[in-house]
Amino acid sequence: MNNNSASLADRTMVVSGGSRGIGLAIGIGAARLGANVVLLAKTSEPHPKLPGTVHTAVAEVEAASGKGLAVVGDVRNEADVQRAVDAAVERFGGIDIVVNNASAIATEPTETLPAKKFDLMMDINVRGTFLLTKAALPYLRKSTNAHVLTVAPPLNMNPYWLGAHPAYTVSKYGMTLLSLGWAAEYSSAGIGFSCLWPETYIATSAVANSADLADMMARSRSPEIMADAAVAILTGPAREANGKCYIDTDVLAERGVIDLSRYGGGADPIVDIFVDR
C-alpha cells in the first residue's frame, strides 16, 4: 500500500451506505486521487424511488479513476460487515480508511415515533458504525496514516436540538461519541478518528423525498462539498484529525476555499440540523 498521505493512490477505503448521496460522493472524491473504494450497501437492485445501486455506484467510482468493489450487505449485520472487510483485504491487501456514512433518520415527536423506527436508527447509526469500525481495526492498525471518518455532528447541547427530535439526536450523537471514544481509546495507534457534518442541507434522497421538494433542493448544497471536505481530512495527517468534529465549510475555509457557489444552495442555503446559526 502507498504510504504517501498527500494522495490516496493505492489506499483502500471502505464506505458504508455508499450507493448514493454523501457516501458515494466521498467514494468518487477519493477515487479521483487513485483510491480503492469498497462500497457496502443493501441496494443491489434499482429502488422505485431512489437512484442507483451499489453496482452503478462502483461504476462511477471506476469512471473517476479509482478501483471499486461492491459488497451487497446490511451494516446492521455483523456477518455482512465482516464479509465487506474480508473482501476489501482479499482484493486490495488491507484497509486504510473507513467512512461510517450509513444512517437512518426519523424526526417524529416521541409520542408518535414507532419503536421500529427508533430501533432502526440505533441499529444503523450506532450499531453499524460500531460493527464496521471494529471489524476494520486490525487492518487500520497496520496502515500508515489510517483514518476513520464518521458522518456525524459535533455534540451540540443546545436545548433546541436536544428537544427537537430526541431519538434521532441520540442516535447521531451516539455515532459522534463512539468516534470521540475511539480517539481516546486508540490514541497511541496513529489512527485518526474524526467526524464530519454539513453546515447546510445536502441534496440527497432524504431531501428529495421531503414535502417541500423544490424549495429544499434549491436551498441544499451538493454532496460534493462533503466529498471535498472529507478528502481534505483524509489526505492530511491522521494524528491531527484524531478527536476532531469538523463542519464541511470550516474544513474548506482552512484550505482557502471561500467561494462555495459551485456547490449550489443559492444565496440562503438551509442550515442543517445540529448547527446553530
Side-chain angles (χ1 to χ4, degrees):
M1 268 178 268
N2 191 317
N3 292 328
N4 179 11
S5 65
S7 78
L8 296 176
D10 297 325
R11 295 179 69 77
T12 299
M13 166 189 288
V14 180
V15 185
S16 66
S19 59
R20 61 180 66 89
I22 291 171
L24 174 56
I26 292 174
I28 291 172
R32 291 193 180 110
L33 296 182
N36 309 315
V37 181
V38 181
L39 301 178
L40 170 62
K42 294 193 301 178
T43 314
S44 61
E45 301 294 333
H47 189 282
K49 295 183 179 180
L50 301 174
T53 69
V54 68
H55 304 293
T56 61
V58 164
E60 292 187 61
V61 163
E62 294 181 338
S65 302
K67 296 177 182 177
L69 177 64
V71 179
V72 178
D74 190 333
V75 75
R76 297 172 292 177
N77 185 304
E78 188 171 11
D80 286 358
V81 170
Q82 189 63 55
R83 183 163 49 82
V85 167
D86 292 344
V89 174
E90 181 179 359
R91 176 71 66 87
F92 300 117
I95 296 173
D96 304 288
I97 299 166
V98 167
V99 178
N100 290 306
N101 168 72
S103 190
I105 180 171
T107 58
E108 293 97 315
T110 299
E111 290 176 84
T112 58
L113 179 71
K116 185 176 181 179
K117 286 188 178 181
F118 178 91
D119 291 342
L120 181 69
M121 288 191 290
M122 297 303 165
D123 284 350
I124 294 177
N125 302 2
V126 182
R127 176 182 168 88
T129 296
F130 168 77
L131 289 178
L132 181 55
T133 304
K134 178 185 177 184
L137 270 167
Y139 305 100
L140 293 167
R141 283 176 171 275
K142 299 175 184 177
S143 170
T144 299
N145 206 51
H147 284 266
V148 176
L149 182 66
T150 299
V151 181
L155 298 175
N156 186 346
M157 293 296 113
N158 183 332
Y160 176 80
W161 295 121
L162 294 177
H165 29 63
Y168 177 61
T169 298
V170 76
S171 74
K172 293 305 293 187
Y173 284 10
M175 296 171 72
T176 306
L177 285 168
L178 282 174
S179 181
L180 295 174
W182 289 323
E185 184 179 12
Y186 296 98
S187 59
S188 63
I191 303 170
F193 293 94
S194 61
C195 295
L196 177 64
W197 192 248
E199 179 190 47
T200 68
Y201 275 28
I202 301 295
T204 63
S205 56
V207 174
N209 291 329
S210 65
D212 302 321
L213 168 61
D215 179 63
M216 292 186 72
M217 288 296 282
R219 297 177 62 198
S220 297
R221 290 179 177 145
S222 70
E224 282 68 34
I225 190 170
M226 284 288 283
D228 288 350
V231 167
I233 295 166
L234 299 173
T235 52
R239 291 191 182 276
E240 289 184 11
N242 195 43
K244 301 285 184 61
C245 292
Y246 297 99
I247 297 293
D248 57 357
T249 52
D250 292 340
V251 174
L252 297 180
E254 287 177 6
R255 287 153 181 82
V257 181
I258 305 300
D259 182 1
L260 305 177
S261 59
R262 74 183 189 88
Y263 300 114
D268 185 29
I270 304 169
V271 177
D272 204 3
I273 292 173
F274 306 120
V275 179
D276 295 334
R277 283 190 178 272

